[in-house]
Amino acid sequence: MTSTVRRAGAFAILATLTLAVPLFDPVTAAPVAAAVLLAALAITDGPLFDLFAYPDDYEDGRLYGLVTFVLAASVLGLLSVMSSMSTAVFVGTVLLVGYGNFAAAVTHHWTDNTASHAAAFCVGGTVAAVAGHTITRTLADAPIVSPLPEIVFLAVAGALLAALLRDILILYDDPIVMLAVGFLCWLLAELVPGLGAAEIAVATVVTIAVGYVSYAVGAASVAGMLTGILLGLLTIVLGGYSWFAVLMSFFAIGSLSTKFRYDEKVDRGVAQENDGARGSSNVLGNAAVALVAVLGYAASTADLQLLGEPNPELFLFAFTGSLATAMSDTLSSEVGGVFDTPRLITTLEPVEPGTDGGVTWQGEVAGLLGAAVVAGLSYVVFPDVGLVGAVIVVVAGFVGMTVDSLLGATIEGSIVGNQGVNFLATLAGAITGGFLVFVVAVL
């Protein structure tokens, strides 16, 4: 057994101590956390130090990884006492991170395949989180069967987010991962999905299958795959399959457009890096606003009173407007990049292909067609869209695409990067869609 596996196993056992909270009570469990924290600060060498130490801990002779792990767990524990976060969410989150890391470490001992490591983390973390939720509810004499689909959903969503963060951060950032997962599960638990076991199972299988296919065909990296699966799962559960269909239309058509005359784009220096495989930053840059819109829609229909009394339709058009922008921008760039006549959008002066803010008429037409695809699909799957709504989606996509080009010509590279521009453009498309539907409703 390697030191990495032993360390991960020790942290998993440590995570199990969180069960002291539901088994006894927070007041009794607090000294346990304090004792572990003091021990982590006091131990500077010896077998226990070697068991818990990360490589960087040896430089100063301090178990910084252990200290921050305990502090992060303590923060979630305090929130479970002082806020609406449930004890089950707290326990499930800590166990998810602890046992997910252990499963990934064991798998890493057998294979160097990063996708296998991520899959092992997700499986191990999900099983541990479900067990944590179940044990906690059992000790509290709370029902288990009826909320089981919700428990599984929280565990899967948390495991996906944790695996994603572990891929894009360093492996020693477990405290950040733990806090992020805890807050996500807290939010999702408040939204109360209300789906049955079959719906959760189908949603999970569908999103994992789509994500794996995107990875297998080279359309996404491991981080991009995890991001896409998480986005897809949240979209299905909190919005529905209609929302998922619109989201997938962007990813599918966007990936195909990336492969359009790819070798020629490589020669021109305008091709998507990593052989067209989209990473997490690319996925989030284009779909983060859409995810926020899904969460807002779920909150507005869950009667949380967090947003006053918002109209769910505003979030629907924010969602479609942001994705119409993402589709427009992607097709405009991928199609326009193979033509020799780009002009800077701010001055209309000729520029080299691939110049930020450079546009071609062919790319603009492709972008409009992309927005029309999102609008047409939205018209079919959303009864509230209608013909006027479809026009609004097209306009929102065009506005967002234009904003992307303007930002590219002015601040990209000097103030924000490409994914930051994508985020701001999709935000502009979302705001445009929401604003226009509000104006139409008032008129």
Side-chain angles (χ1 to χ4, degrees):
M1 183 183 295
T2 66
S3 60
T4 301
V5 175
R6 287 197 300 270
R7 181 177 64 240
F11 272 91
I13 294 173
L14 182 64
T16 309
L17 293 178
T18 56
L19 291 172
V21 175
L23 185 61
F24 301 108
D25 58 68
V27 175
T28 306
V32 176
V36 174
L37 184 59
L38 289 175
L41 293 171
I43 298 172
T44 58
D45 56 21
L48 277 179
F49 184 89
D50 293 334
L51 180 62
F52 285 99
Y54 286 101
D56 292 346
D57 292 340
Y58 284 96
E59 183 176 348
D60 295 329
R62 295 290 183 184
L63 293 173
Y64 293 124
L66 178 58
V67 170
T68 53
F69 186 92
V70 174
L71 287 176
S74 299
V75 169
L76 293 181
L78 286 174
L79 286 174
S80 70
V81 174
M82 303 173 61
S83 70
S84 62
M85 176 186 286
S86 69
T87 303
V89 167
F90 155 58
V91 173
T93 297
V94 179
L95 290 178
L96 186 157
V97 175
Y99 282 91
N101 283 341
F102 178 66
V106 172
T107 305
H108 192 277
H109 184 60
W110 293 335
T111 176
D112 292 330
N113 185 278
T114 54
S116 298
H117 304 162
F121 180 93
C122 289
V123 173
T126 297
V127 172
V130 171
H133 276 265
T134 303
I135 294 172
T136 301
R137 296 183 68 88
T138 300
L139 292 173
D141 293 325
I144 300 297
V145 177
S146 58
L148 185 59
E150 179 184 341
I151 291 173
V152 173
F153 167 64
L154 295 179
V156 172
L160 287 169
L161 177 61
L164 169 62
L165 292 177
R166 289 177 77 255
D167 187 83
I168 62 179
L169 300 174
I170 62 175
L171 295 181
Y172 313 143
D173 281 339
D174 285 341
I176 298 175
V177 173
M178 187 185 300
L179 291 173
V181 171
F183 283 116
L184 174 67
C185 292
W186 182 14
L187 171 63
L188 295 179
E190 294 288 338
L191 294 180
V192 189
L195 291 182
E199 290 83 355
I200 292 292
V202 171
T204 303
V205 170
V206 167
T207 52
I208 290 176
V210 171
Y212 178 75
V213 169
S214 68
Y215 170 74
V217 301
S221 64
V222 171
M225 173 185 67
L226 293 170
T227 307
I229 293 173
L230 178 59
L231 287 174
L233 179 64
L234 296 181
T235 300
I236 290 176
V237 174
L238 300 179
Y241 283 97
S242 297
W243 296 63
F244 180 69
V246 177
L247 179 66
M248 285 300 101
S249 71
F250 160 65
F251 285 124
I253 297 176
S255 296
L256 289 175
S257 69
T258 300
K259 301 297 184 180
F260 172 69
R261 294 167 67 173
Y262 186 78
D263 291 339
E264 185 176 342
K265 284 184 281 190
V266 170
D267 294 336
R268 291 169 171 266
V270 298
Q272 176 77 26
E273 57 185 5
N274 298 323
D275 293 328
R278 299 184 181 274
S280 59
S281 61
N282 186 282
V283 175
L284 288 175
N286 284 290
V289 174
L291 175 59
V292 172
V294 173
L295 292 172
Y297 174 82
S300 68
T301 56
D303 195 27
L304 294 183
Q305 303 300 319
L306 297 177
L307 305 171
E309 295 184 1
N311 182 356
E313 192 176 61
L314 295 179
F315 293 104
L316 171 61
F317 279 89
F319 175 81
T320 53
S322 69
L323 289 179
T325 296
M327 182 83 85
S328 296
D329 176 53
T330 299
L331 293 186
S332 176
S333 299
E334 298 296 345
V335 174
V338 301
F339 293 96
D340 294 321
T341 58
R343 293 181 178 272
L344 196 65
I345 191 171
T346 51
T347 63
L348 298 183
E349 295 179 353
V351 291
E352 291 295 321
T355 301
D356 294 332
V359 298
T360 64
W361 70 264
Q362 297 94 336
E364 293 294 292
V365 171
L368 276 173
L369 290 176
V373 169
V374 174
L377 183 57
S378 300
Y379 175 81
V380 172
V381 300
F382 294 124
D384 293 336
V385 170
L387 184 58
V388 173
V391 174
I392 289 175
V393 174
V394 173
V395 173
F398 178 77
V399 169
M401 176 181 65
T402 304
V403 168
D404 185 280
S405 298
L406 290 171
L407 294 177
T410 53
I411 66 173
E412 184 172 351
S414 59
I415 298 179
V416 296
N418 177 255
Q419 303 313 327
V421 168
N422 288 342
F423 173 80
L424 293 174
T426 54
L427 180 61
I431 293 173
T432 301
F435 174 75
L436 289 179
V437 76
F438 173 77
V439 170
V440 169
V442 170
L443 297 177

